[in-house]
């Protein structure tokens, strides 16, 4: 019986030692893979944001065309075209609001993932780099305005 317990202890000790030695190696080897996946996710998020901007420009162009057609139409036709423009604006807004809400939720999750990976991860994110440049641009005019008064 004693022999069985000693064998079990040796096996368990060996297993614990294996886990202790293997875990840091596993954690280190998975970090670059996780980091690489995260950066791919960052690029994907940035592409989605760019696609949304392009879609909004296309919607604006379509709306501009419809407005020009409405404004240039004879009086009898303007009401029909106005209804089409109002419907188009409402549809675009509803669709874009839903899309924006989904992207905002994804961005929050994305930022949380960066926070869990550490501050270094967030500074490498292409999305954050874009936000930092926006911050600098928006701060400069305000500083000038405050200094003048």
């Amino acid at each position: 019986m004693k022999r069985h317990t000693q064998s079990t202890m040796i096996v368990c000790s060996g297993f614990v030692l294996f886990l202790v030695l293997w875990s840091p190696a596993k954690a280190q080897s998975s970090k670059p893979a996780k980091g690489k996946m995260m950066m791919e996710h960052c690029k994907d998020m940035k592409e989605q944001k760019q696609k949304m901007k392009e879609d909004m420009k296309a919607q604006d162009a379509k709306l501009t065309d419809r407005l020009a057609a409405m404004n240039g139409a004879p009086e009898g036709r303007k009401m029909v075209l106005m209804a089409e423009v109002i419907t188009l604006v409402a549809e675009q807004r509803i669709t874009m609001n839903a899309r924006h809400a989904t992207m905002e939720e994804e961005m929050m999750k994305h930022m949380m993932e960066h926070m869990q990976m550490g501050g270094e991860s967030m500074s490498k994110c292409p999305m954050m780099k874009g936000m930092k440049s926006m911050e600098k641009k928006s701060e400069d005019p305000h500083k000038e305005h405050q200094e003048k008064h």
Side-chain angles (χ1 to χ4, degrees):
M1 186 76 152
K2 232 181 186 181
R3 191 176 212 187
H4 189 276
T5 307
Q6 283 180 332
S7 297
T8 305
M9 290 267 278
I10 290 171
V11 169
C12 287
S13 298
F15 184 70
V16 169
L17 182 61
F18 170 78
L19 286 177
V20 168
L21 294 175
W22 179 76
S23 293
K26 176 71 175 159
Q28 288 175 357
S29 67
S30 67
K31 261 190 178 181
K34 189 172 184 177
K36 188 175 182 179
M37 286 175 33
M38 187 65 174
M39 288 304 129
E40 288 174 14
H41 189 235
C42 294
K43 289 176 185 175
D44 184 48
M45 295 287 293
K46 190 170 185 172
E47 288 170 5
Q48 286 180 33
K49 186 177 177 184
Q50 183 61 37
K51 174 80 168 99
M52 191 162 117
K53 284 181 183 180
E54 290 167 4
D55 290 349
M56 288 171 69
K57 280 185 180 181
Q59 288 179 350
D60 289 346
K62 184 176 182 177
L63 183 59
T64 300
D65 289 345
R66 297 286 171 98
L67 285 170
M70 178 188 78
N71 290 332
E75 289 301 314
R77 182 94 173 108
K78 279 192 179 191
M79 289 301 283
V80 171
L81 293 175
M82 189 183 304
E84 287 178 10
V85 167
I86 292 169
T87 301
L88 178 63
V89 169
E91 288 172 349
Q92 286 179 349
R93 183 173 175 100
I94 290 166
T95 301
M96 197 53 67
N97 283 346
R99 188 173 175 187
H100 184 266
T102 300
M103 279 193 74
E104 192 171 286
E105 188 176 319
E106 288 177 20
M107 285 294 296
M108 291 303 291
K109 288 178 185 176
H110 182 77
M111 291 299 117
M112 290 301 293
E113 289 173 1
H114 275 298
M115 289 172 70
Q116 290 172 349
M117 291 180 74
E120 202 176 287
S121 171
M122 198 173 293
S123 67
K124 293 178 182 177
C125 179
M127 296 295 293
M128 294 306 292
K129 288 177 184 176
M131 290 178 171
K132 286 179 185 175
S133 65
M134 284 176 32
E135 262 179 29
K136 288 178 185 176
K137 288 178 187 175
S138 68
E139 284 178 3
D140 292 342
H142 295 292
K143 285 181 182 178
E144 288 176 8
H145 177 73
Q146 290 171 353
E147 289 172 6
K148 288 181 183 177
H149 297 297

